[in-house]
Every structure is written in structure tokens, then in C-alpha cells.
Amino acid sequence: MPDEMIIRFWGVRGSYPVPGPRTMRFGGNTACVEVQAGAHTIILDAGTGIINLGGELLRRARADGNRPVIATILFSHMHNDHTVGFPFFDPAYLGNTTLFIFGPKVFESDLEETLAHSMLPPSFPVGLDELASRKILRNVNETDVVLMGSSPTDVQVMNLYHDKVDPSPDLVRVRTYHSYAHPKNGVNIYNISWRGKTVVYATDTEGYVESDRRLVQFANGADVLIHDAQYRAEDYILPAKPKQGWGHSTPVMAIAVAQAAKVKRLVLFHHEPQYNDETIAEMEAEAQKNFPTTVSAYEGLELRI
Ligand SMILES: [Zn+2]
Ligand SMILES: [Zn+2]
């Protein structure tokens, strides 16, 4: 259906990858979510999940008359678990690929600089500028809106205050909310809307008490809210190792935002790597008692809205 927005999960884990028999059901790759909206492929974060997505995008392109891969990558922030898959994203090595790459400025460093830094020798043998693909890199912040038109290469960043922003619902629209509830320079939370459908990606954010009112407003009425839910409530307050201030939430915090923002569906995301499948399934079942449309993200989960 051309009018559907499709959301696919390729990596759902926080902090570091954990492949193995304990994580078969939910998956062990770190953060990466694909959103298909109209002509556009949007990739949220480049954790290790992006490696399998890269292979899939190339397969789809080959099956579609060998067309080039054109995609937009949105980084929430530049922590390792969200960037580590990028150097292994195969389409980036092909000369006919076009990548629009957006994300936050970190302190005084532009996105291009922080991404290049993540693959500098001797940590990695190929530099960002050596990748053959065409790359358009830019910082995005709260005053920007990314607008995507009818062709896959029609992607522009506009300033909400200075530019005349076309309000047409046929354009894919990405807005940013920069939350400081994550160390040390916060995180970009993204709201992607198209033809009246909305998905909000709020990873690596901490709810504290009574939730973040700005996030509630930003996610208001979304069809899908993808929210950090790394810790069980009992581990969050564990006296020997309290997690407050670490920049992650509990399912209770995610539900508080989902309820206050009246979202239709909540996806628990950025699972604690130490938790096995049973623990995450228990967290999901517990969350469903208070917010029935909750699902714990797993690799291969596909939502259509
Ligand atoms: Zn993370
Ligand atoms: Zn982080």
C-alpha cells in the first residue's frame, strides 16, 4: 500500500551488541530502525543493526533494476552503540549511492567531524572521506525541519524561523527535539510525519519523575512512539548500582510519556544487554497491563501505519 509508513527494527539493543542463545528472540544488535515513507528510506541510528539493513537495501536495489541506494540516516547522538555499524554499511562504499546524513552538533564539533572521528585510523582502516558514496552531511537541531519530496533525492533541511516551510502533508517531515536527559550533550529525538501518520523515535532518554513534558508535547498523538526502556524499575534504583542520571528509562517512564501524549502504540527500545529474552518478555507483559498496545522491539519487528 503506497500510503503506508513502514517501520522495521534491525537493532534494538542498547550499549553493546550481545549475539548468542540468550538473545535469540529479541536480537543482539544495537540501535537501528528503518522507516519507509513515500519515496524515502530513513534510517534511525547506525548501530550494528545497520549492517544487515545495508545488505537488504542492496538486495532490494538489485531486484529493482539495479537502481542506486538513496537513503537518509538520522543519528540520535554519537555514542558508540549508535555509530559502530556505519563503517560496515555496504551501500556507503558504492559510488552510485547517495546518503543524506543528519544528526546533532556535539559541543563544538559538527556531525561530519564526530562521524569521521568514529572511524579514524588506527581504529578503522577506511576514513569517512574515502567512502565512494555521495554524502551530504549536516547538523540538525530544533530550529530545523527536514522536508522530503516526491523523488528520493529531494531532501532538504529548512529553518523553521527563516524559511517558508511548505505545509503539504505529502512531504515527509522530520522535526527534532533535543533532550538533555542523556549524558553528556543530550540526544536528538525525531518526529517523522507523512500523510497524517507519525512515528517518534526517543532513544537514550531518561524520564525521571512525571516524565519530560516537552517530550510529551513533541510526541502528542503519535501513531507509534519508540521509547528507551533499558532498565527494570528495580534495577534503576538498585542501591549497589543506581542508574539515575545514566540517560535511560524504565518501561514505567516510557508508559508515562505514551499515556500523557495519547500515542496509539508504544515500542520499548534500547534493551539492556545483560537482560536475556525471558527478562525482556516479562518487562513487555508487565508493561502491557498498563498500556495494552505496548510491544518490546525485536529484530525483524515490522509495523505498518
Ligand atoms: Zn545508546
Ligand atoms: Zn547514548
Side-chain angles (χ1 to χ4, degrees):
M1 289 256 296
D3 247 8
E4 277 180 329
M5 200 191 256
I6 304 170
I7 305 158
R8 294 191 187 95
F9 292 80
W10 294 87
V12 300
R13 203 54 72 160
S15 309
Y16 52 87
V18 275
R22 297 167 63 250
T23 59
M24 291 287 280
R25 179 170 161 199
F26 290 94
N29 282 301
T30 63
C32 181
V33 180
E34 170 198 1
V35 177
Q36 293 289 340
H40 298 276
T41 297
I42 301 166
I43 302 168
L44 294 158
D45 281 326
T48 58
I50 201 173
I51 303 168
N52 288 332
L53 172 57
E56 171 64 14
L57 292 179
L58 290 174
R59 265 190 296 281
R60 284 183 212 159
R62 268 197 301 274
D64 192 14
N66 262 332
R67 62 167 169 78
V69 171
I70 302 166
T72 298
I73 301 177
L74 298 168
F75 284 101
S76 61
H77 64 316
M78 304 310 282
H79 282 166
N80 191 252
D81 50 327
H82 299 255
T83 60
V84 69
F86 182 76
F88 306 100
F89 180 59
D90 283 343
Y93 289 80
L94 301 179
N96 64 353
T97 295
T98 300
L99 298 174
F100 298 91
I101 306 176
F102 304 133
K105 182 171 181 164
V106 181
F107 298 112
E108 292 308 306
S109 301
D110 290 326
L111 172 77
E112 181 160 6
E113 202 179 328
T114 50
L115 185 61
H117 192 83
S118 75
M119 48 196 295
L120 268 187
S123 308
F124 194 74
V126 186
L128 179 63
D129 55 356
E130 292 174 85
L131 299 176
S133 52
R134 176 172 167 251
K135 293 170 290 302
I136 299 95
L137 293 113
R138 312 199 13 165
N139 307 330
V140 290
N141 62 40
E142 292 193 356
T143 58
D144 295 318
V145 58
V146 183
L147 286 185
M148 306 181 178
S150 54
S151 107
T153 51
D154 182 5
V155 176
Q156 352 174 13
V157 181
M158 306 197 87
N159 185 290
L160 281 168
Y161 298 107
H162 300 131
D163 298 325
K164 201 167 173 295
V165 178
D166 185 343
S168 164
D170 284 339
L171 297 175
V172 182
R173 195 172 304 269
V174 182
R175 289 187 298 121
T176 301
Y177 158 50
H178 192 78
S179 158
Y180 283 96
H182 194 68
K184 295 193 161 177
N185 197 45
V187 63
N188 273 2
I189 291 171
Y190 294 110
N191 175 315
I192 304 170
S193 64
W194 177 63
R195 295 194 175 166
K197 304 147 209 280
T198 302
V199 55
V200 172
Y201 179 67
T203 191
D204 295 65
T205 191
E206 186 165 350
Y208 296 102
V209 179
E210 301 280 311
S211 68
D212 174 348
R213 308 314 295 176
R214 290 186 66 208
L215 175 56
V216 168
Q217 206 177 21
F218 187 72
N220 190 40
D223 296 279
V224 174
L225 169 64
I226 302 166
H227 196 292
D228 192 302
Q230 182 149 346
Y231 302 123
R232 288 188 296 203
E234 59 266 41
D235 293 336
Y236 183 79
I237 54 165
L238 198 69
K241 204 177 177 186
K243 312 285 193 301
Q244 197 185 69
W246 289 22
H248 298 290
S249 294
T250 64
V252 172
M253 294 172 188
I255 289 169
V257 176
Q259 285 173 335
K262 298 185 173 59
V263 306
K264 296 196 180 74
R265 208 147 184 205
L266 171 64
V267 181
L268 304 179
F269 188 72
H270 205 274
H271 306 310
E272 161 61 39
Q274 294 288 318
Y275 293 165
N276 62 17
D277 286 332
E278 289 75 58
T279 302
I280 293 169
E282 278 167 29
M283 290 164 78
E284 180 182 51
E286 187 62 35
Q288 285 167 347
K289 289 182 197 160
N290 294 315
F291 200 78
T293 59
T294 305
V295 59
S296 274
Y298 58 89
E299 274 175 45
L301 170 63
E302 181 178 299
L303 302 173
R304 288 172 180 259
I305 57 177

